[in-house]
Amino acid sequence: MKKIESSSTLGPGGLDISRAFFKPILNSAPPSPTKRHTKISVIGAGNVGMAIAQTILTQDLVDELALVDAKPEKLRGEMLDLQHAAAFLPRTKIHASVDYSITAGSDLCIVTAGARQIPGESRLNLIQRNLALFKLIIPPLARYSPDCILLIVSNPVDVLTYVAWKLSGFPPNRVIGSGTNLDSSRFRFLLADHLDVNAQDVQAYMVGEHGDSSVALWSSISVGGVPVLSFLERQKIAYEKETLENIRKEVVESAYEVINLKGYTSWAIGYSAANLARSLLRDQRKIHPVSVLATGLYGIDGGDVFLSLPAQLGRSGVMGVANVELTDWEAQQLRNAATTILEVQSQLEIEDH
């Protein structure tokens, strides 16, 4: 597929008119070699991939955006559609190709490509098909951008983040799964709705395995700096654990509701991934619940496993995991999730990089 990108070459022979169009000022120095040029590559031009690409562009996070997909016509159409919005967006060079060489020199590679589950298909079989796909995706990304950070969005995200780590040969701080970052946003929205406050004033995390078994950290939830459960207990305000569990279930089921209504989720995960990209590339040192190598934390052992935990993100990837105090029950739920994932991973054939 022919690659198209922003260019100053017009006229016969690809004449570069930019030099003729602008006159240099007297005794000007060449551009500084230290100027930071930021590049993100998005792998997979489906609904999720394009929502992420669009959100990254509107938030002015990159100088260069590369799109990769296996379907050349769809890919070219998406690229042109974004390029035609150039007058309304911050200046960004956008290109697309089925060839992974276009991702060379990326600071961040976001992987959204993945096989969809066939009705009646087992979870293991779906993972096996995605493993085969990742064997075609991750090695070339690692080869063309050996210093990049890998952000995995494809599901099941925790297992596939582990797969990407193994296939890339990268240190674990540079391989991250989107994990429960979006689950936590949904959680904060629902809590804020219940309490009639702004969601930005609610600090609450969903951790563990992304999906049905994610763990709500009720013990550490606070609103405006006030720990919620301990406040209720001090004020002798009764609450039922069943009510708390119903809120957690509502978080889990909200994704299924969106899928049932519109066929897929896209905008929320787009904002979630762009939020992570900002923290990573701009060295924000913010805390996000993302899928990280959790071995050795909270009694998790038995093998290498990726689970979502509140982690500080910066330019080098995962800076560290927040030392959140969990109840015995919360910690046990985490360990149970780790055991389940390890059982699945034991059935996969992955050759280390």
Side-chain angles (χ1 to χ4, degrees):
M1 182 179 104
K2 185 179 178 182
K3 182 179 77 173
I4 289 184
E5 57 188 63
S6 307
S7 177
S8 59
T9 57
L10 295 172
L15 176 66
D16 186 348
I17 67 164
S18 62
R19 294 180 186 177
F21 202 75
F22 298 99
K23 290 184 178 180
I25 61 173
L26 191 65
N27 299 324
S28 60
S32 169
T34 60
K35 183 181 178 183
R36 185 74 200 164
H37 178 89
T38 306
K39 179 176 179 178
I40 292 179
S41 291
V42 177
I43 316 304
N47 296 316
V48 170
M50 294 315 300
I52 291 172
Q54 189 267 349
T55 311
I56 284 169
L57 287 173
T58 56
Q59 294 191 8
D60 194 14
L61 295 179
V62 287
D63 302 297
E64 186 175 353
L65 177 67
L67 305 174
V68 178
D69 196 272
K71 299 177 180 177
E73 291 80 13
K74 167 84 160 58
L75 184 60
R76 179 175 171 78
E78 295 287 8
M79 176 192 69
L80 291 172
D81 208 6
L82 288 177
Q83 287 179 340
H84 295 167
F88 318 118
L89 293 169
R91 185 174 183 267
T92 305
K93 186 177 288 186
I94 304 168
H95 26 225
S97 177
V98 295
D99 190 331
Y100 283 86
S101 62
I102 202 168
T103 65
S106 294
D107 298 284
L108 176 65
C109 291
I110 304 175
V111 182
T112 71
R116 288 190 177 184
Q117 193 161 15
I118 301 167
E121 182 181 29
S122 71
R123 183 168 183 249
L124 180 60
N125 194 66
L126 174 64
I127 294 171
Q128 295 281 15
R129 290 198 295 129
N130 276 313
L131 170 59
L133 190 61
F134 266 47
K135 286 180 177 179
L136 301 175
I137 293 173
I138 302 302
L141 289 179
R143 185 167 67 251
Y144 285 113
S145 301
D147 298 318
C148 78
I149 296 169
L150 288 174
L151 174 58
I152 309 303
V153 179
S154 313
N155 279 315
V157 68
D158 302 296
V159 175
L160 291 180
T161 303
Y162 167 81
V163 167
W165 174 53
K166 285 297 195 182
L167 293 174
S168 67
F170 283 4
N173 61 294
R174 288 203 283 121
V175 184
I176 303 163
S178 56
T180 57
N181 195 53
L182 177 52
D183 307 60
S184 297
S185 175
R186 291 174 175 140
F187 191 30
R188 291 169 68 188
F189 162 74
L190 288 172
L191 289 169
D193 200 41
H194 276 273
L195 299 169
D196 195 23
V197 296
N198 192 308
Q200 293 186 0
D201 291 322
V202 178
Q203 186 165 33
Y205 295 120
M206 301 284 286
V207 299
E209 184 181 12
H210 169 63
D212 298 355
S213 64
S214 55
V215 182
L217 296 187
W218 289 104
S219 62
S220 60
I221 290 173
S222 65
V223 176
V226 179
V228 173
L229 293 192
S230 59
F231 172 79
L232 294 177
E233 289 167 359
R234 283 201 311 273
Q235 299 296 318
K236 295 184 169 57
I237 299 173
Y239 66 90
E240 295 182 359
K241 289 188 176 180
E242 185 180 351
T243 304
L244 306 185
E245 177 58 17
N246 286 338
I247 294 175
R248 190 201 72 84
K249 284 182 178 177
E250 196 174 348
V251 172
V252 172
E253 291 167 1
S254 61
Y256 295 120
E257 182 181 10
V258 174
I259 293 168
N260 288 334
L261 290 170
K262 62 178 274 192
Y264 55 89
T265 61
S266 57
W267 296 118
I269 187 61
Y271 280 103
S272 173
N275 180 241
L276 296 175
R278 178 183 294 276
S279 290
L280 290 163
L281 297 183
R282 298 202 172 161
D283 201 29
Q284 294 290 294
R285 310 294 178 99
K286 286 182 67 177
I287 309 295
H288 296 271
V290 289
S291 193
V292 299
L293 183 63
T295 309
L297 301 170
Y298 299 108
I300 296 170
D301 54 21
D304 293 325
V305 64
F306 280 71
L307 286 172
S308 284
L309 293 169
Q312 184 186 49
L313 302 185
R315 194 60 189 80
S316 61
V318 179
M319 314 291 291
V321 174
N323 192 19
V324 179
E325 188 173 343
L326 306 184
T327 65
D328 291 342
W329 183 86
E330 290 167 344
Q332 187 57 54
Q333 293 299 106
L334 266 183
R335 290 190 288 271
N336 292 345
T339 300
T340 301
I341 293 175
L342 283 167
E343 287 174 2
V344 173
Q345 288 176 181
S346 68
Q347 301 175 67
L348 303 178
E349 293 184 9
I350 308 171
E351 294 179 7
D352 288 14
H353 175 77

